[in-house]
Amino acid sequence: KNQVEQSPQSLIILEGKNCTLQCNYTVSPFSNLRWYKQDTGRGPVSLTIMTFSENTKSNGRYTATLDADTKQSSLHITASQLSDSASYICVVGDSGGGADGLTFGKGTHLIIQP
Amino acid sequence: NAGVTQTPKFQVLKTGQSMTLQCAQDMNHEYMSWYRQDPGMGLRLIHYSVGAGITDQGEVPNGYNVSRSTTEDFPLRLLSAAPSQTSVYFCASSYSRTPTRGGYTFGSGTRLTVV
């Protein structure tokens, strides 16, 4: 069964600091990996999407990396801001053709303190 | 503003009642889907549609029905609400089932409580 594991479950850091969120997956056949940001009470919003051939993708202060060999991804947030407080969800797509072909992680809950 | 609109935002139902969660998008997306999000779990796919007139089941379809009569609308019907259906429901849309650019556009969610 396809699985996506995210760590840590929750994280508290001070404003201005950097942080890295982890995503390990066992999804086959792998197609793509996406990171979403979900603010409290809102729907997820796409941050980055990477295919097998891409190992890094940036979106402003967010940088995602992908190691398809070890089946790991990370999301690095630089110079955190209060508005970065949210849940960050790793989503891995497969090319097997079933349903939406997506496996969602449970998310990392990030809190930025002033 | 373009996007996915879900209504209502909040709903309380009694066990056994039925209701319809509405979802509309104005981006001419072919693909639409419904998810539920429960504490401590990732989003789980309920039903999806790859175009008008075409729907299919996802991971957790029991107790829910969908239809897709137009490209814009994809309502989710709860046939006989049960406490286990207490959840936050998200509708999503995309130009493709497996988009290679961007991602899914999600609505802001419907928080449903069944008592």
Side-chain angles (χ1 to χ4, degrees):
Chain A
K1 182 181 178 182
N2 291 337
Q3 288 188 315
V4 174
E5 300 289 339
Q6 292 188 241
S7 61
Q9 280 190 316
S10 60
L11 181 63
I12 302 174
I13 65 171
L14 293 176
E15 185 180 12
K17 298 296 186 183
N18 303 335
C19 67
T20 300
L21 314 180
Q22 300 290 342
C23 173
N24 296 337
Y25 63 90
T26 53
V27 174
S28 181
F30 175 84
S31 174
N32 57 74
L33 187 145
R34 312 164 191 196
W35 284 93
Y36 283 87
K37 178 187 180 188
Q38 185 176 20
D39 292 317
T40 301
R42 308 290 296 174
V45 175
S46 180
L47 291 175
T48 64
I49 179 170
M50 291 179 291
T51 58
F52 185 88
S53 60
E54 299 173 296
N55 56 21
T56 187
K57 182 84 58 91
S58 292
N59 179 356
R61 294 180 295 102
Y62 301 100
T63 300
T65 63
L66 172 65
D67 186 334
D69 291 332
T70 62
K71 299 185 177 181
Q72 295 180 326
S73 176
S74 64
L75 180 69
H76 186 73
I77 304 175
T78 303
S80 61
Q81 300 176 358
L82 297 178
S83 59
D84 293 330
S85 293
S87 286
Y88 292 83
I89 303 172
C90 176
V91 185
V92 181
D94 67 71
S95 53
D100 64 352
L102 299 179
T103 303
F104 288 79
K106 297 177 182 179
T108 292
H109 187 210
L110 177 64
I111 298 174
I112 311 298
Q113 288 187 337
Chain B
N1 292 334
V4 177
T5 302
Q6 289 185 238
T7 56
K9 292 189 183 299
F10 301 94
Q11 183 70 48
V12 178
L13 287 179
K14 294 182 179 179
T15 298
Q17 286 185 318
S18 63
M19 78 160 294
T20 300
L21 280 62
Q22 301 292 343
C23 175
Q25 51 92 8
D26 58 2
M27 298 170 284
N28 201 33
H29 283 167
E30 290 295 325
Y31 182 82
M32 297 185 74
S33 54
W34 277 101
Y35 294 88
R36 59 178 289 171
Q37 187 175 40
D38 301 296
M41 302 185 72
L43 276 79
R44 291 183 292 169
L45 180 67
I46 304 171
H47 285 284
Y48 67 100
S49 169
V50 297
I54 306 169
T55 64
D56 208 341
Q57 296 180 351
E59 179 185 358
V60 288
N62 292 341
Y64 308 94
N65 272 355
V66 292
S67 60
R68 185 94 179 270
S69 57
T70 67
T71 298
E72 294 78 19
D73 300 298
F74 190 43
L76 178 72
R77 299 183 187 84
L78 279 69
L79 308 174
S80 177
S84 61
Q85 294 178 304
T86 293
S87 186
V88 181
Y89 292 85
F90 289 99
C91 179
S93 76
S94 177
Y95 66 90
S96 167
R97 183 179 72 83
T98 55
T100 56
R101 63 181 188 277
Y104 288 6
T105 300
F106 284 85
S108 58
T110 295
R111 184 174 294 274
L112 175 67
T113 302
V114 182
V115 299

